[in-house]
Amino acid sequence: MTALATTIRSALADAADPDRAAGQQAYMKSTMPFRGVSLPHVRTAVRAATKGEKDPAVRRDVALELWDDASFREDRYAAMALLALRPARGDLAFVPLIEHMVRTGRWWDFTDDLAHRVAELHDAHPEATAALVRRWSTDDDMWMRRIAIISQLGRRDRVDAALLSDVITPNLADPEFFIRKAIGWALREYARVAPAWVAAFVDERPLSPLSRREALKHLGDQSASGRTASATVSGAATRPSRT
């Protein structure tokens, strides 16, 4: 175990709360035990431990070590927290590690947190990241498809609408709850800045009832018929075409 990983684990152990841990494990339906440390405390501990370490390669190695050798779920939260710090954010060199974490973590808390790292990659490397998530959107692994669908959350008017359509469309018939929820979530968030585009997309695609309900949550459950069903993102018309 490296010194940095030891420092982080020691800080988490010192903050452990066994009473809290039991509830966390039950809520997350996790076979891996918890220490009972809150996420904000995990992130604070990671920032404090890495204050003097700026080498991205070292942080990447420590993150992998914490992840693969985790005895408690907070070890993995700490690994993800390392990826959220500069200079790791927006660095394509971390893509294999993000993918490794999603494929081996296989649960929503990991996948959804790591989606923020992919959103940062969209901003830093739009073309490469778009190609990446298009590939992930048809992966055999459901969690890889989920991260592709929600990878633009939080980008608001920077969302690439064509890309959003491209990663959702191959998954429309998927019966998996976590995929249907992700589709609705991604569309609901984009509806905050492009309501007409989302209304048109929902009207023109065979969404599941769950995805549709989530997508239109703040718009009202109505079709795009009779509405001005066009929107502009970065100056380009983005109404989805029929397929």
Side-chain angles (χ1 to χ4, degrees):
M1 195 187 318
T2 61
L4 183 51
T6 300
T7 299
I8 293 171
R9 284 188 176 131
S10 295
L12 297 178
D14 289 344
D17 182 346
D19 293 335
R20 179 189 178 95
Q24 287 177 309
Q25 187 171 0
Y27 172 75
M28 201 54 65
K29 300 179 181 178
S30 172
T31 55
M32 184 178 289
F34 278 78
R35 293 184 186 273
V37 183
S38 69
L39 264 178
H41 194 100
V42 171
R43 291 165 179 160
T44 298
V46 168
R47 285 196 299 269
T50 57
K51 192 172 183 180
E53 180 53 73
K54 304 299 183 184
D55 187 342
V58 171
R59 294 188 178 194
R60 188 167 63 246
D61 292 346
V62 171
L64 180 61
E65 180 181 356
L66 286 168
W67 184 272
D68 284 350
D69 297 339
S71 299
F72 296 89
R73 207 167 186 90
E74 288 92 341
D75 296 348
R76 289 191 160 182
Y77 292 161
M80 293 190 299
L82 279 166
L83 273 60
L85 299 175
R86 297 185 185 280
R89 287 160 53 185
D91 187 343
L92 287 170
F94 283 80
V95 167
L97 181 53
I98 292 170
E99 184 168 350
H100 172 70
M101 288 176 168
V102 174
R103 291 188 186 280
T104 56
R106 303 188 60 78
W107 200 237
W108 65 265
D109 57 336
F110 298 138
T111 302
D112 295 4
D113 188 86
L114 291 164
H116 297 299
R117 309 288 76 80
V118 185
E120 292 158 359
L121 289 168
H122 278 301
D123 285 336
H125 307 280
E127 291 186 8
T129 308
L132 181 72
V133 298
R134 282 191 174 97
R135 175 168 58 82
W136 285 352
S137 72
T138 58
D139 197 278
D140 290 340
D141 190 326
M142 179 264 290
W143 298 107
M144 295 308 302
R145 298 199 303 278
R146 179 176 170 93
I147 199 172
I149 293 166
I150 64 173
S151 69
Q152 294 196 78
L153 288 178
R155 301 189 74 222
R156 297 186 64 80
D157 59 351
R158 303 192 310 284
V159 165
D160 180 336
L163 177 60
L164 182 61
S165 176
D166 286 350
V167 297
I168 288 176
T169 300
N171 293 285
L172 288 173
D174 196 314
E176 171 58 53
F177 168 82
F178 287 106
I179 293 298
R180 293 186 169 191
K181 187 75 171 181
I183 291 171
W185 186 12
L187 290 171
R188 184 182 75 229
E189 287 297 299
Y190 191 41
R192 295 182 186 277
V193 295
W197 188 95
V198 171
F201 186 93
V202 170
D203 192 56
E204 297 176 359
R205 300 294 195 280
L207 270 69
S208 70
L210 172 60
S211 297
R212 179 186 177 87
R213 183 170 63 252
E214 288 293 316
L216 300 178
K217 196 168 189 176
H218 303 302
L219 300 180
D221 190 2
Q222 53 187 304
S223 74
S225 302
R227 299 169 62 115
T228 302
S230 64
T232 300
V233 175
S234 300
T238 58
R239 175 180 174 139
S241 60
R242 292 183 183 275
T243 57

